[in-house]
Amino acid sequence: MKTRSFLRLLVDGAPLPLYDEVLRDAVADAASPAEAENLQAEHTLALHLRDTLEKQRARHEQQRALVECAKELAEDHSDPDTILTLIVGQAQRLLGCDMAYLSLNDDEGGATCMRVMVGATSSAWKDVRIPFGTGVGGRVAATGTPFSTPDYFKDERLTHDPAVDASVRAERQVSIVGVPLRNSAVIGVLFASNRTAGPFSHDAIALLGSFAALATSAIEQARSRHDRERTLEALRHTNQTLRRRTAEQERAVAVHDQSMDIVLRGGGVQEVVTAAGERLGGALAIFDEFETPVAWTPGTSEEVLKAMSAAAAGSAGGVHDGTYWVTGLVAGTETLGTLAWAPATTPGQVGDPDRRLLERAAVVASLLQLFRRNLAAAEARVRGELLDDLLTPNPRTYSSLAERALRIGYQPHKRHAVVVAHIRAENRQSLASVASDLAAARGGLSTVRDDRAVLVIPSDDPSLTGRRTARSMTKRLGAPVTVGAAGPVDDPADLPAAYREALACAHALLRLDRAGTVATATDLGYTGLLLGDSASAVAFVARTLGPVMQHDEERSTMLMETLDTYFTTGQSLVASAKRLHIHPNTVTQRLDRVKRLLGVDWNSPDHTLEVQLALRLHRLSRELED
């Protein structure tokens, strides 16, 4: 009956004190010492069975926990860092320890490196490298066998490293166990530790070792999945790149075919600009050597064209002021103009395909510009002969010359500037062709006289035209060009006089040792009159005092006489009034009228000499007539 009581305790899982209580009652009721001895033996056997059952239950719980951990590790964790953190957390839970951590081996560096820690209270463990053979981790990593110490700093079996010891001390670790993470070789170490001294049981070490085997498999699978996903991502990226490049190539082929079609059917640069603008977006324009727009995308405003022209003048290629892309139109060593693009997006976001399209458009435009230039060169001789005839004073032939001009597309009655360009003898080899190209590009004429280029170009501003011509010719000839300019004139009969004036300006610049500069008669003033070979005193007087003379002639006033008297009397209003027999206020009124006609600075030191010289020449001319 007492035996049945012990069995019932085992079946019920009764606590240990109940076994002793049943034994006392049974011994008290025993009939003999032998029966009491038997009861004692049964009690011992029952306790042994109880321990065995407890151990089996504990192992079962451990196996169940291990299976649960294995299930969690088997889930799809593609990030290796995530799986490492999960392994360490599960290890701490399995052993119920204060801390758990994991290191991975660096075989080339001869160390195992800390990667993840759970239960840490500081960051001292991060970036710690445990040399092979050092401490618990280094010993396990080197030997591939588990190792456990009940007291880390008192264990004489261990080789210590200052950095490793510092991290162990910072976390107050005492008892530590490490097991290898092994596949075909040791890849790392899984640790468990407590902040109190004491050995880890064989069961705990075995459980951690079993879990380490599962963890190694999970790490390898995570690495494999991660590598596979990186490979797939690389393949996706490569595929996208190939698709993009294929689309770019197809786009480039379409642009090439369209460009060749324009060239083959005799199209012009406007068609190239329109077609390229549709592909690129934004505003696109082509400028000649004078930075004058010759073609642009429809709808481009005048303000944008001016800004793009400034960009073309200030840049030979690349981004200008972070707003425009500019590329030169080049054929061999010759610059035919520029192509400027104002993207619809930020220039910094312009990709290589768009830049290549821009360059392709520039090549086609250069080809068309070269065709046009060659055609213009073929016409240059005819146009040069016409200009030579126009510059020869012979009024009887002007009517026939006008008919010849109209036949070659030149409009002689438009306002023109006359430009004379001089360059040193050693740089004149291409002077005629360069002058012809520049003139033809602007619808003008050119010729060479006495080793100087003469250009007649449609313009209302001779000074600006002269500067642009000098800049373009200097760039193409590779040497400084000296330019004299005159005009504008709108009557062919006035061309010879304008030519002589421009020539005189060029001579004056050379005599002033100002080679490579540009000037008109207005710029030079009386200096041009003194130094020019064929300078005209009449023209100088007309430029300086023309508005005053015209006012006197049209309104029968006496402004010229008043002006002459004013300077003759030393610029005295009272003396002038006395000599002219008028009131000083009248002199003042007449001089105010002169100021309105000649400009507010007519009496400044810079202009006084020119005005007085013009007055004397005018007076001398009237005396000679008399």
Side-chain angles (χ1 to χ4, degrees), residues 447-477:
T447 187
V448 175
R449 283 191 163 195
D450 300 325
D451 295 326
R452 298 179 182 85
V454 183
L455 298 88
V456 177
I457 298 174
S459 172
D460 289 323
D461 190 337
S463 181
L464 177 61
T465 301
R467 291 195 300 273
R468 288 179 170 176
T469 301
R471 183 168 61 246
S472 296
M473 295 186 75
T474 296
K475 182 188 298 184
R476 293 185 57 185
L477 293 172

Side-chain angles (χ1 to χ4, degrees), residues 218-230:
I219 291 172
E220 291 298 308
Q221 291 178 5
R223 284 178 172 176
S224 177
R225 283 193 294 267
H226 183 66
D227 291 342
R228 187 166 58 252
E229 288 185 2
R230 285 199 305 177

